[in-house]
C-alpha cells in the first residue's frame, strides 16, 4: 500500500500508510487541523512483473478535542490603541474596527463579543468582523477619556475568551458658553466723582483651548452709556470715563457680554447696575419763559398761581421754599407763601396795566443749602368788561351821500368801532338790524357797507340804517348806532366811478382812439392845403402887384370877393422901402412872396372853421 502521488499537501504531510498492513498513521500533531476533514488517495499495488494498482479515497475527519481561545485583531490608526473623536460626535460614528478568529469548530468555535462600556456599541459586519460605534451622547466636560475593553468568548466548555483594550479620547467642541459668577452686579458711585474703577465682572468657560478663552465687552447700549462706561476686554474691569451726574440718571443699568474664542463663538451676559449717589449741586430754577396769570377785576386774596421751581437734586436737596423780596412794589400787590403760593392783595385792571414783575428768593434744604433769585412775571388777562364803541358813525357824524349811479357791491361807507379789551373780547362783528336791508348790506368783519344791487331812480331817498356791533367775549357786549344814507341823482363822473376797473380802462381807450383819429384828420387837411399853396407861392408880379390883378377890371362883385381882403392887406403890409427885384418887364419886392403866403394861409384856415363857431363869433 502507498499514498497516491496526487495528494493534498496538508494531508500528505500529516499522514502515511504502512506498506505491508495498509494502516494509516499520523506523522505530526493534528491540533492545528482540528475540525477539518482531509482526503487521502491510497493505492494498492500487486507484485506482478507488470504491477497493477487500485485507488481508494479515504476521508479523515479530525475531531476538535482541544478548545483554543479566540484571537482579536484590531484596526486602529497609526497602530495605536487610542481613538480620538470630538465630543459632539453623533451616535453611530465609528470608533474602532476588529476581526475575531477562533480555530475551534462546533461550539468551541462560536464566538460572542461585547464591550465593557455602554457608551459605545458593537455592530457586526461579517461573521467575524465588527465595528465599535458611538451609542450615547458624549460630553467631554463630564468624561474626556474612555477605557474601552472588547471581550470575545467562545462556546466551549469551559469557554475560552480573548480581551483587547483601547482608549477613546474626546476632543473639545465649543458647546459651552461662558458663565458669569453672578447674574447681577451692583455698585454705588457718588456723582461728580472723576472717572475710575467701579467693579469687576467674571465669567468662566469649561471648554478648553480657544473655546474656553473669555473676553468681555459692553452689550447693546445707547451712545449715552458708552460715553460714560468702559469695560476691559481681558479682565472684565468696569470703569467710568467721566464723572456721573445724578440728574441725568439716578441708576445706570447696562449689560456686559462675555464671549469665548470658539468657532462659532458662544456668549452670555450679566446685568450691571450702578447707583449714582446724589450731592446738592443744583440751585432751584424756573424756565426763562415762566409766568403766571390772573384775570382782571378779581377780588382781594384771589389765587394767582403756584411757583414750582425745578431742583433736580434728590431728597431734601430737591425740596424748595420761597420768600418774596421787597426790592420793588411786589409786597403791596402780592402775597407769597413758603410753599410758593401767590395771591393778589388788590384787584387789577388790565386796561391800566397788564404786566407785573416780582423777585422771589428760592432756597433748597440740602446739607449746604443753595439759593437763587427767581424773576417771575405775572400777566393780567383780559375780562370782557368793555363794550364796543362806534367811532363812525357818531351822533355828530352819521350822514353820508350817495347817488343812484352806484352799482352792485359798490362801497358806500365803512363803519368803525373799537373795543378796549383784547383777544376774542375785542373781536367785533357788525350787522344791520333795520333800515335799507333790501338795498344795503354790511361786511360783518370789516364793517364795509355796500350796495346789494344796482340802484335806480326809484331808490332815491333817505335811509336810516340801524347798526349793531358785538364782541366775541363770553358773555358778549354790544352797541348800536344810526347811519343816514341820502341817495340822490347821479352824474357822469359818478357813473364812471361806478364802473369796474376793466370797464374804466375800456372807456379811456375808446376816448383816446377817438381823439387820435380827429387829430390825424386835421393834420392831413392842413398838409393838403400847405402843399397846394406851395405850388402857387411864386406868381409873376408887375409893379409890385400880381399881373392878373392889374389886368382885371373891377366889378360890382369884387366887394364880395373873398380875395379882396387878402390883396388889400397885402398892399397895406408891403414895406415901402423894401428892395425891388427887376427881371425883364416884371419887377417885385423880395418880401412879397412871404407876405402873400401868410395872408392866404390865414384865409384858408378861416374857411375851415366850423359854422357854429363863426356864428358864435358873429353873435
Amino acid at each position: 500500500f502507498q499514498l497516491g502521488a496526487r495528494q493534498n499537501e496538508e494531508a500528505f504531510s500529516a499522514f502515511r500508510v504502512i506498506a505491508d498492513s495498509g494502516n494509516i498513521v499520523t506523522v505530526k500533531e493534528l491540533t492545528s487541523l482540528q475540525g477539518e476533514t482531509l482526503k487521502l488517495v491510497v493505492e494498492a499495488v500487486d507484485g506482478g512483473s507488470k504491477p497493477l494498482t487500485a485507488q481508494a479515497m479515504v476521508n479523515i475527519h479530525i475531531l476538535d478535542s482541544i478548545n483554543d481561545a479566540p484571537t482579536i485583531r484590531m484596526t486602529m490608526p497609526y497602530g495605536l490603541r487610542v481613538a480620538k473623536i470630538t465630543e459632539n460626535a453623533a451616535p453611530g460614528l465609528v470608533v474602532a474596527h476588529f476581526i475575531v478568529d477562533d480555530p475551534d469548530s462546533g461550539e468551541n468555535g462560536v464566538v460572542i463579543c461585547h464591550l465593557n462600556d455602554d457608551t459605545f456599541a458593537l455592530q457586526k459586519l461579517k461573521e467575524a468582523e465588527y465595528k465599535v460605534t458611538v451609542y450615547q451622547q458624549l460630553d467631554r466636560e463630564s468624561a474626556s477619556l474612555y477605557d474601552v475593553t472588547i471581550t470575545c468568548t467562545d462556546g466551549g466548555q469551559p469557554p475560552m475568551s480573548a480581551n483587547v483594550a483601547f482608549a477613546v479620547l474626546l476632543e473639545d467642541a465649543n458647546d459651552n458658553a461662558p458663565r458669569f459668577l453672578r447674574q447681577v452686579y451692583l455698585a454705588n458711585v457718588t456723582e461728580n466723582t472723576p472717572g475710575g474703577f467701579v467693579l469687576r465682572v467674571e465669567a468662566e468657560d469649561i471648554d478648553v483651548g480657544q473655546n474656553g478663552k473669555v473676553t468681555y465687552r459692553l452689550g447693546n447700549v445707547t451712545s449715552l452709556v458708552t460715553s460714560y462706561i468702559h469695560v476691559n476686554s481681558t479682565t472684565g474691569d468696569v470703569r467710568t470715563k467721566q464723572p456721573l451726574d445724578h440728574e441725568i440718571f439716578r441708576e445706570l443699568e447696562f449689560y456686559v457680554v462675555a464671549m469665548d474664542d470658539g468657532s462659532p463663538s458662544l456668549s452670555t451676559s450679566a446685568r450691571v447696575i450702578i447707583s449714582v449717589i446724589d450731592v446738592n449741586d443744583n440751585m432751584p430754577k424756573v424756565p426763562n419763559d415762566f409766568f403766571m396769570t390772573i384775570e382782571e377785576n378779581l377780588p382781594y386774596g384771589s389765587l394767582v398761581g403756584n411757583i414750582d421751581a425745578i431742583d433736580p437734586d434728590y431728597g431734601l436737596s430737591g425740596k424748595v421754599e420761597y420768600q418774596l423780596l421787597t426790592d420793588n412794589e411786589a409786597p403791596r400787590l402780592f402775597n407769597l407763601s413758603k410753599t410758593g403760593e401767590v395771591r393778589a392783595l388788590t384787584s387789577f385792571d388790565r386796561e391800566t396795566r397788564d404786566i407785573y414783575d416780582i423777585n422771589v428768593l428760592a432756597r433748597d434744604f440740602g446739607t449746604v443749602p443753595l439759593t437763587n433769585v427767581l424773576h417771575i412775571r405775572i400777566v393780567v388777562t383780559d375780562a370782557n368788561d368793555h363794550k364796543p364803541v362806534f367811532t363812525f358813525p357818531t351822533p355828530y357824524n352819521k350822514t353820508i351821500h350817495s347817488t343812484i349811479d352806484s352799482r352792485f357791491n359798490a362801497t358806500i361807507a365803512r363803519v368803525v368801532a373799537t373795543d378796549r379789551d383784547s383777544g376774542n373780547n375785542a373781536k367785533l362783528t357788525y350787522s344791520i338790524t333795520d333800515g335799507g336791508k333790501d338795498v344795503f348790506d354790511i361786511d360783518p368783519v370789516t364793517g364795509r357797507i355796500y350796495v346789494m344791487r344796482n340802484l335806480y331812480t326809484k331808490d332815491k331817498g333817505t335811509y336810516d340804517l340801524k347798526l349793531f356791533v358785538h364782541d366775541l367775549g363770553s358773555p358778549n357786549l354790544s352797541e348800536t348806532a344810526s347811519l343816514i344814507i341820502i341817495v340822490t341823482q347821479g352824474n357822469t363822473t359818478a357813473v364812471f366811478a361806478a364802473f369796474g376797473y376793466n370797464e374804466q380802462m375800456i372807456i379811456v381807450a375808446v376816448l383816446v382812439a377817438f381823439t387820435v383819429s380827429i387829430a390825424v384828420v386835421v393834420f392831413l387837411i392842413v398838409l393838403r392845403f400847405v402843399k397846394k399853396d406851395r405850388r402857387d407861392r411864386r406868381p409873376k408880379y408887375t409893379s409890385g402887384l400880381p399881373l392878373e390883378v392889374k389886368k382885371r377890371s373891377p366889378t360890382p362883385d369884387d366887394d364880395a370877393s373873398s380875395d379882396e381882403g387878402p390883396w388889400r392887406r397885402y398892399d397895406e403890409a408891403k414895406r415901402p422901402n423894401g428892395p425891388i427885384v427887376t427881371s425883364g418887364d416884371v419887377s417885385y419886392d423880395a418880401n412879397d412872396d412871404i407876405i402873400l403866403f401868410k395872408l392866404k394861409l390865414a384865409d384858408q384856415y378861416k374857411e375851415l372853421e366850423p359854422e357854429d363857431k363863426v356864428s358864435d363869433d358873429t353873435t
Side-chain angles (χ1 to χ4, degrees):
F1 297 93
Q2 63 181 16
L3 292 177
R6 301 182 62 182
Q7 199 72 244
N8 181 284
E9 180 65 25
E10 193 172 38
F12 190 81
S13 63
F15 299 97
R16 70 182 180 89
V17 178
I18 302 300
D20 294 337
S21 61
N23 291 333
I24 297 174
V25 298
T26 61
V27 295
K28 68 175 183 177
E29 188 177 307
L30 301 180
T31 302
S32 61
L33 299 176
Q34 293 183 98
E36 293 187 12
T37 298
L38 300 180
K39 293 182 179 182
L40 294 177
V41 178
V42 179
E43 295 180 347
V45 182
D46 61 17
S49 58
K50 291 182 178 182
L52 298 175
T53 62
Q55 291 182 339
M57 182 68 70
V58 179
N59 293 324
I60 301 175
H61 181 69
I62 301 172
L63 299 176
D64 188 4
S65 58
I66 300 176
N67 188 16
D68 294 319
T71 59
I72 301 172
R73 289 182 292 123
M74 292 287 298
T75 302
M76 300 289 288
Y78 310 108
L80 301 176
R81 293 291 178 90
V82 178
K84 294 181 179 181
I85 60 174
T86 60
E87 62 174 316
N88 59 356
L93 179 72
V94 177
V95 177
H97 173 271
F98 68 92
I99 298 174
V100 59
D101 294 323
D102 193 327
D104 296 325
S105 61
E107 291 298 323
N108 293 343
V110 176
V111 178
I112 299 175
C113 300
H114 66 275
L115 301 175
N116 67 330
D117 194 329
D118 57 5
T119 304
F120 303 94
L122 289 177
Q123 291 186 16
K124 194 172 186 179
L125 299 176
K126 295 179 181 179
E127 182 63 28
E129 187 175 355
Y130 296 86
K131 64 179 180 179
V132 181
T133 61
V134 176
Y135 182 69
Q136 295 182 357
Q137 188 68 45
L138 304 176
D139 183 14
R140 188 205 65 81
E141 289 71 37
S142 299
S144 61
L145 180 66
Y146 292 87
D147 290 321
V148 181
T149 301
I150 302 172
T151 300
C152 294
T153 304
D154 62 22
Q157 292 296 330
M160 302 295 289
S161 62
N163 298 315
V164 172
F166 67 96
V168 178
L169 179 64
L170 299 186
E171 296 180 338
D172 185 53
N174 193 25
D175 57 349
N176 292 280
R179 296 181 61 185
F180 280 98
L181 302 185
R182 286 185 288 174
Q183 289 301 306
V184 180
Y185 291 83
L186 303 176
N188 295 325
V189 175
T190 301
E191 70 169 327
N192 305 328
T193 301
F197 176 82
V198 178
L199 55 86
R200 172 175 292 180
V201 297
E202 293 183 83
E204 296 177 344
D205 194 323
I206 57 177
D207 291 324
V208 295
Q210 294 296 108
N211 295 337
K213 184 179 179 181
V214 179
T215 56
Y216 304 90
R217 64 173 177 83
L218 278 173
N220 294 327
V221 296
T222 64
S223 58
L224 179 64
V225 175
T226 57
S227 66
Y228 281 93
I229 300 299
H230 170 74
V231 176
N232 187 292
S233 61
T234 303
T235 64
D237 289 351
V238 177
R239 303 178 64 87
T240 56
K241 296 180 180 179
Q242 57 180 311
L244 301 180
D245 189 348
H246 176 83
E247 286 69 49
I248 297 178
F249 26 61
R250 295 184 179 181
E251 283 186 349
L252 187 58
E253 182 176 337
F254 54 91
Y255 283 86
V256 174
V257 177
M259 54 186 180
D260 59 33
D261 286 348
S263 180
S265 177
L266 300 179
S267 63
T268 188
S269 60
R271 186 166 58 149
V272 178
I273 301 175
I274 299 176
S275 297
V276 183
I277 300 174
D278 183 56
V279 297
N280 190 21
D281 58 346
N282 291 280
M283 64 179 62
K285 295 180 180 179
V286 293
N288 292 332
D289 57 351
F290 178 79
F291 67 95
M292 294 187 294
T293 62
I294 182 173
E295 186 177 294
E296 64 175 329
N297 303 329
L298 291 181
Y300 174 94
S302 296
L303 177 65
V304 177
N306 287 279
I307 301 174
D308 188 12
I310 300 171
D311 190 328
D313 291 323
Y314 182 71
L316 292 178
S317 297
K319 184 179 179 181
V320 182
E321 68 175 3
Y322 306 91
Q323 177 185 347
L324 184 63
L325 298 180
T326 60
D327 54 353
N328 58 18
E329 61 184 349
R332 65 181 180 82
L333 300 176
F334 302 97
N335 179 65
L336 174 64
S337 69
K338 288 187 177 183
T339 59
E341 182 182 81
V342 180
R343 290 189 175 272
L345 298 181
T346 186
S347 180
F348 297 95
D349 180 15
R350 188 199 67 84
E351 287 71 33
T352 302
R353 181 178 176 183
D354 61 349
I355 293 178
Y356 296 86
D357 293 309
I358 64 175
N359 296 323
V360 175
L361 180 66
R363 183 179 71 90
D364 63 29
F365 288 84
T367 304
V368 179
L370 298 179
T371 61
N372 189 23
V373 176
L374 310 179
H375 302 285
I376 309 297
R377 171 157 290 185
I378 299 176
V379 178
V380 180
T381 60
D382 185 54
N384 195 20
D385 55 349
H386 292 86
K387 67 178 182 178
V389 176
F390 277 102
T391 58
F392 178 80
T394 65
Y396 308 101
N397 182 19
K398 62 177 181 178
T399 303
I400 60 174
H401 295 267
S402 183
T403 68
I404 61 173
D405 298 319
S406 298
R407 293 294 184 262
F408 167 71
N409 201 36
T411 299
I412 302 300
R414 190 180 300 272
V415 299
V416 179
T418 60
D419 193 317
R420 293 180 61 194
D421 294 319
S422 64
N424 283 339
N425 296 334
K427 290 183 179 180
L428 304 180
T429 300
Y430 301 91
S431 62
I432 298 175
T433 61
D434 193 15
K437 282 190 173 181
D438 61 334
V439 180
F440 304 103
D441 201 357
I442 188 169
D443 187 304
V445 177
T446 64
R448 182 178 74 95
I449 296 178
Y450 57 92
V451 179
M452 297 174 61
R453 56 175 173 77
N454 292 341
L455 299 184
Y456 305 98
T457 303
K458 65 182 181 64
D459 295 317
K460 291 192 298 181
T462 300
Y463 297 85
D464 187 359
L465 274 58
K466 304 302 181 183
L467 304 178
F468 179 82
V469 63
H470 68 86
D471 59 31
L472 300 183
S474 180
N476 61 54
L477 300 179
S478 62
E479 182 60 285
T480 61
S482 176
L483 177 65
I484 297 175
I485 301 177
I486 301 175
V487 180
T488 61
Q489 181 67 40
N491 54 55
T492 304
T493 303
V495 171
F496 184 76
F499 285 110
Y501 176 78
N502 291 334
E503 295 171 329
Q504 293 176 7
M505 291 299 101
I506 293 173
I507 293 173
V508 171
V510 171
L511 292 176
V512 170
F514 180 75
T515 303
V516 171
S517 300
I518 295 298
V520 171
V521 171
V522 172
F523 175 76
L524 293 176
I525 293 173
V526 172
L527 184 60
R528 178 186 175 191
F529 280 99
V530 170
K531 289 184 177 179
K532 182 177 180 301
D533 185 70
R534 284 181 179 176
R535 288 195 298 268
D536 301 331
R537 66 185 292 183
R538 291 184 179 272
K540 295 183 180 290
Y541 291 87
T542 302
S543 300
L545 292 176
L547 295 177
E548 57 270 30
V549 174
K550 290 187 175 183
K551 293 177 181 179
R552 185 172 61 87
S553 299
T555 64
D557 296 332
D558 286 345
D559 293 337
S561 174
S562 61
D563 293 334
E564 183 178 355
W567 292 115
R568 184 179 297 114
R569 290 193 298 272
Y570 165 75
D571 293 334
E572 295 172 354
K574 185 178 179 183
R575 291 184 296 176
N577 299 321
I580 301 298
V581 179
T582 302
S583 176
D585 296 333
V586 180
S587 64
Y588 60 91
D589 194 326
N591 294 319
D592 287 346
D593 288 345
I594 297 174
I595 296 171
L596 180 60
F597 170 74
K598 289 182 179 180
L599 294 173
K600 290 181 69 64
L601 184 60
D603 284 343
Q604 290 170 0
Y605 276 124
K606 185 176 181 180
E607 292 174 0
L608 294 175
E609 291 181 352
E611 295 179 359
D612 56 349
K613 184 175 181 182
V614 173
S615 61
D616 290 344
D617 294 341
T618 303
T619 303

